[in-house]
Amino acid sequence: MEDALASCSISEERRDRRRGNFASFSTGQLLSLLSNSAFTRLAGFATGASPYRTQLPTSFYPGVFANWSPHLYEYYRINMMAFYRRNPTLKRPFINSIWSACTFNLGPQTCALGHRDFANLAFGWCAITALGNFDYTKGGHLILWDCRLIIEFPPGCTILIPSAAIFHSNIPIAEGERRYSFTQYTAGGIFRWVQHGFQTNKNYQRSLSKAGKRAAFKADAKRWEDGVNLYTYKDEVQIDSVVALRA
């Protein structure tokens, strides 16, 4: 990431002012990072293998998302499979990742201001991986404001949070230290596009009868509840897989 930052000419519009004053690049802008084996491994670890997808290669292992929230993961898998089958020319950032987009925050002192990623799926999960060289006991902590939590976030660690719903930020790091981050996410509009028959919401509404519009309104009203019901209870988690990963 340091090499990528050094080789880039960072214009002001490439600095993420809403989330913080640091260089930020999204999918497709840094091919050297997308093809890097370390990021491929990080992408796969954050995703993992769904227990419903038996056609996955045997080299896949239970990762964070598939292991800790299999029902929500399956929701992503079904919608993403439909999306890419409908649009076969689109390129996924990582073939072993469930998310449709990623961002490389090149810092060199990436510490986000308080924000919500409102364009992401409202009840969906975003994967955040911290990287760099900093004292994680003194800086770089992740703050989940709505949960009233401040969490140590060491370099090399990955966390998944509902980033569209929870207001979150980072504590600054010390002068001379470096912190970068790698995030993966999927916009809520992609799910809406798939579920509306691969058309815009405007065209979808036009195609509905009065009864269909009433039904769609009711479905929209309980979409958040349905989404949260996909979350997993503690006793549903595949604990044996978690222990294996830690070992």
Side-chain angles (χ1 to χ4, degrees):
M1 295 183 86
E2 289 179 349
D3 290 343
L5 179 62
S7 65
C8 292
S9 176
I10 309 298
S11 60
E12 283 302 307
E13 58 266 24
R14 290 295 185 205
R15 293 193 173 274
D16 194 336
R17 298 293 186 181
R18 186 175 74 86
R19 295 178 178 85
N21 186 19
F22 49 82
S24 176
F25 288 85
S26 298
T27 300
Q29 297 166 323
L30 290 176
L31 294 179
S32 62
L33 295 180
L34 288 171
S35 60
N36 184 279
S37 61
F39 282 107
T40 301
R41 289 168 64 99
L42 287 172
F45 171 73
T47 294
S50 168
Y52 306 97
R53 193 174 182 181
T54 56
Q55 70 268 29
L56 282 174
T58 56
S59 59
F60 275 69
Y61 49 84
V64 181
F65 198 177
N67 192 81
W68 287 96
S69 191
H71 309 307
L72 182 59
Y73 181 93
E74 180 67 356
Y75 180 85
Y76 270 72
R77 189 187 70 81
I78 290 171
N79 282 275
M80 291 302 99
M81 286 181 64
F83 178 70
Y84 285 109
R85 283 174 178 169
R86 178 78 175 195
N87 305 276
T89 60
L90 293 180
K91 302 296 182 183
R92 300 165 69 173
F94 299 96
I95 193 65
N96 61 339
S97 174
I98 197 66
W99 290 281
S100 65
C102 68
T103 294
F104 301 97
N105 296 311
L106 303 183
Q109 290 195 321
T110 301
C111 288
L113 301 174
H115 68 283
R116 290 184 178 89
D117 298 302
F118 51 81
N120 294 351
L121 180 65
F123 52 84
W125 282 9
C126 166
I128 309 170
T129 300
L131 300 165
N133 183 7
F134 59 94
D135 185 346
Y136 66 87
T137 66
K138 297 180 179 179
H141 297 61
L142 177 65
I143 307 176
L144 304 179
W145 292 85
D146 305 287
C147 303
R148 303 183 70 179
L149 290 174
I150 300 176
I151 305 169
E152 288 185 354
F153 197 2
C157 287
T158 295
I159 190 168
L160 272 66
I161 65 171
S163 63
I166 293 182
F167 196 77
H168 57 285
S169 63
N170 296 105
I171 291 176
I173 59 175
E175 184 177 354
E177 292 183 332
R178 302 184 304 279
R179 185 182 185 276
Y180 310 92
S181 67
F182 166 56
T183 64
Q184 301 182 83
Y185 49 91
T186 301
I190 291 180
F191 293 88
R192 184 168 58 248
W193 171 268
V194 173
Q195 292 162 12
H196 286 178
F198 307 100
Q199 58 184 328
T200 64
N201 184 58
K202 186 176 182 179
N203 288 340
Y204 172 71
Q205 292 294 331
R206 285 175 175 173
S207 69
L208 297 176
S209 63
K210 288 184 178 180
K213 288 181 179 180
R214 288 194 295 269
F217 179 80
K218 290 181 180 179
D220 288 343
K222 64 189 298 287
R223 191 176 308 280
W224 168 258
E225 180 183 350
D226 291 341
V228 172
N229 283 337
L230 294 173
Y231 288 2
T232 304
Y233 288 97
K234 181 173 60 176
D235 58 1
E236 295 182 80
V237 176
Q238 304 168 32
I239 298 298
D240 292 342
S241 298
V242 176
V243 173
L245 279 174
R246 288 176 176 171

